[in-house]
Amino acid sequence: MRTFEFRAWDKRKHTYRTADTLFDSVFITPRGKVRVLEDGDIDTDDLSDMIDIETYTGIRDSSEKKKKIFEGDIVHFKSEMISGLGIVKWNEKTGAWEIDDIRPRTKKRGHRIYPFYPEAAYRVDGNVHENPELLEAKK
């Protein structure tokens, strides 16, 4: 059985937290609302404005550390056919992980979104929260 892993960006403290350091339990409703269980009671307030939940893709990068690649990571990828730099995102329509290219493009080529390629090498350069300078440098 596949298990799901998440990380949580605490917007108030500007740091990644594990669910057990935030509350007793964090869960997401079928409608995408973030709820918590504290002292056996369910808090009905939506906490989406306080934390960003980011999902593990199930893919590790090609570095020696074999870092886990999460939603919101900024990754460099390279294969025999293509290379790019972008943000890892989930596409609801296709049901797949994609890399939203952040490199500058000419008007002729336009914006690109790439699927994860099994044969490509990936390197996590940072993430959108802790490394916003990576996004600015590529504009």
Side-chain angles (χ1 to χ4, degrees):
M1 182 176 164
R2 182 175 176 211
T3 59
F4 292 92
E5 290 183 47
F6 301 90
R7 65 183 183 192
W9 175 255
D10 187 329
K11 294 177 186 179
R12 298 164 298 169
K13 296 186 178 182
H14 301 285
T15 188
Y16 278 105
R17 310 275 300 272
T18 58
D20 60 338
T21 63
L22 285 168
F23 306 100
D24 292 344
S25 182
V26 175
F27 62 97
I28 302 169
T29 69
R31 295 186 186 261
K33 302 290 185 185
V34 179
R35 305 275 194 239
V36 297
L37 179 66
E38 285 190 283
D39 301 323
D41 293 326
I42 295 176
D43 184 347
T44 57
D45 293 333
D46 180 18
L47 301 179
S48 299
D49 60 332
M50 294 189 327
I51 58 175
D52 282 334
I53 303 293
E54 299 171 343
T55 310
Y56 171 50
T57 63
I59 301 167
R60 290 181 179 261
D61 78 359
S62 304
S63 71
E64 289 182 21
K65 293 182 180 181
K66 301 287 183 200
K67 294 179 188 175
K68 292 180 179 180
I69 300 176
F70 282 85
E71 181 177 13
D73 279 345
I74 299 169
V75 298
H76 179 265
F77 64 97
K78 186 173 184 170
S79 72
E80 290 181 15
M81 301 291 287
I82 60 169
S83 67
L85 178 72
I87 302 168
V88 176
K89 295 183 177 183
W90 177 254
N91 184 320
E92 289 288 334
K93 290 181 182 177
T94 63
W97 292 106
E98 297 177 334
I99 299 173
D100 188 358
D101 199 336
I102 60 175
R103 297 174 297 171
R105 296 283 185 187
T106 64
K107 289 182 182 178
K108 184 177 179 182
R109 287 188 67 192
H111 185 74
R112 299 277 190 253
I113 295 179
Y114 301 100
F116 272 90
Y117 292 103
E119 67 279 356
Y122 297 94
R123 181 186 72 228
V124 176
D125 288 344
N127 62 69
V128 296
H129 301 294
E130 295 176 314
N131 310 101
E133 71 280 0
L134 293 175
L135 301 174
E136 294 299 318
K138 303 303 174 192
K139 287 186 179 178

